[in-house]
Amino acid sequence: MSKLSRGQKGEEIVSDILNSIKEYHHLLNNVTFKNKRSEMTHQIDHILIHPHGVFVIETKNYYGEIVYDEVYKDWIRIIDGKKSRSPDPLKQNKSHAITLYKALRGEYKVIPVVVFVKNNAPYMPNDNAINLNDLILFIDSYPYEHKYTNKTIDKIKTMIEKKISDVSINEHLENIDIIKTYRKQVQAEIASAIESHRCPRCNAPILQKGNTFKCYKCDFNFKL
């Protein structure tokens, strides 16, 4: 099974579980927002508009055991004894939550949640990263100050639908590739600057002050 089809299968499983919720709610799947300035896209697996809040749910259908490394502060997948590091799903989903919070004009609380479909994450570094078996309990027991009425839930759904962008999967994947390429380029520039103490963009001397590196000619700068 390909990575894309495995991800889609995981999203279907989570969607089925969320659709079983008996309280009044709306579930929006595969929601895409587009930044008008940068043209970059954010694709959210699931948005659950529930009496306890607006949940932004990221689905991870990973094989192996999922472990959080407390020392290096990153995620590791262990398959047949072999370890590989993975991008932080909490950080990724937090950016989705911020995007949705802005779309709702900051009027409603947005709760980011990462769900491991295969229930293969025995230790979670954050209460908002959970296994699939805990998803319904997480939503039902989530603390709230004011329970949303059906009218409010409908209003939030309408607000979100007005902001949804009609972007294809291919366009979204292209945007992801652009971001990855840009990040690799920046990392290469940083490595060059550290090694040569010269700016990789204009070749002027780059000055270091503590953990900050800066070129005063073209303003290229970064922190370690």
Side-chain angles (χ1 to χ4, degrees), residues 45-157:
D45 292 343
H46 316 278
I47 299 175
L48 175 68
I49 311 166
H50 185 275
H52 295 178
V54 182
F55 296 85
V56 175
I57 301 170
E58 176 76 15
T59 297
K60 294 300 182 186
N61 194 14
Y62 290 156
Y63 286 115
E65 182 181 5
I66 311 302
V67 178
Y68 182 74
D69 189 325
E70 287 282 6
V71 176
Y72 293 99
K73 306 298 181 185
D74 60 7
W75 295 76
I76 298 172
R77 279 192 284 174
I78 304 174
I79 302 175
D80 296 329
K82 295 182 179 179
K83 298 181 179 181
S84 62
R85 298 190 182 277
S86 298
D88 187 342
L90 289 167
K91 184 177 181 180
Q92 175 191 9
N93 202 34
K94 185 177 180 180
S95 69
H96 293 335
I98 292 172
T99 298
L100 180 58
Y101 182 75
K102 290 178 179 178
L104 294 173
R105 302 195 295 266
E107 295 177 14
Y108 301 98
K109 184 176 182 179
V110 177
I111 306 139
V113 189
V114 174
V115 179
F116 292 97
V117 176
K118 295 188 183 302
N119 297 297
N120 52 352
Y123 166 70
M124 296 285 96
N126 186 295
D127 290 341
N128 292 58
I130 60 176
N131 287 299
L132 182 66
N133 288 343
D134 300 320
L135 178 56
I136 294 298
L137 177 62
F138 178 89
I139 294 167
D140 285 346
S141 61
Y142 197 84
Y144 58 88
E145 292 183 8
H146 304 287
K147 200 168 185 178
Y148 292 156
T149 63
N150 293 3
K151 184 177 179 180
T152 299
I153 291 172
D154 289 341
K155 178 184 176 182
I156 294 171
K157 177 176 180 284

Side-chain angles (χ1 to χ4, degrees), residues 13-29:
I13 292 171
V14 171
S15 180
D16 288 343
I17 289 177
L18 294 174
N19 274 322
S20 72
I21 293 173
K22 294 181 180 179
E23 287 192 87
Y24 188 79
H25 69 279
H26 289 302
L27 176 63
L28 305 175
N29 298 309

Side-chain angles (χ1 to χ4, degrees), residues 112-204:
V113 189
V114 174
V115 179
F116 292 97
V117 176
K118 295 188 183 302
N119 297 297
N120 52 352
Y123 166 70
M124 296 285 96
N126 186 295
D127 290 341
N128 292 58
I130 60 176
N131 287 299
L132 182 66
N133 288 343
D134 300 320
L135 178 56
I136 294 298
L137 177 62
F138 178 89
I139 294 167
D140 285 346
S141 61
Y142 197 84
Y144 58 88
E145 292 183 8
H146 304 287
K147 200 168 185 178
Y148 292 156
T149 63
N150 293 3
K151 184 177 179 180
T152 299
I153 291 172
D154 289 341
K155 178 184 176 182
I156 294 171
K157 177 176 180 284
T158 300
M159 291 177 70
I160 293 173
E161 288 177 335
K162 287 181 179 179
K163 296 290 185 178
I164 291 176
S165 177
D166 185 17
V167 174
S168 69
I169 291 292
N170 286 338
E171 184 177 350
H172 177 63
L173 293 176
E174 287 173 3
N175 280 333
I176 292 175
D177 288 339
I178 290 171
I179 293 172
K180 287 181 178 178
T181 300
Y182 174 74
R183 287 176 178 171
K184 286 181 180 179
Q185 178 183 338
V186 171
Q187 289 301 317
E189 289 179 337
I190 289 174
S192 173
I194 293 172
E195 183 177 357
S196 65
H197 276 270
R198 301 197 73 83
C199 178
R201 299 182 181 176
C202 70
N203 204 40

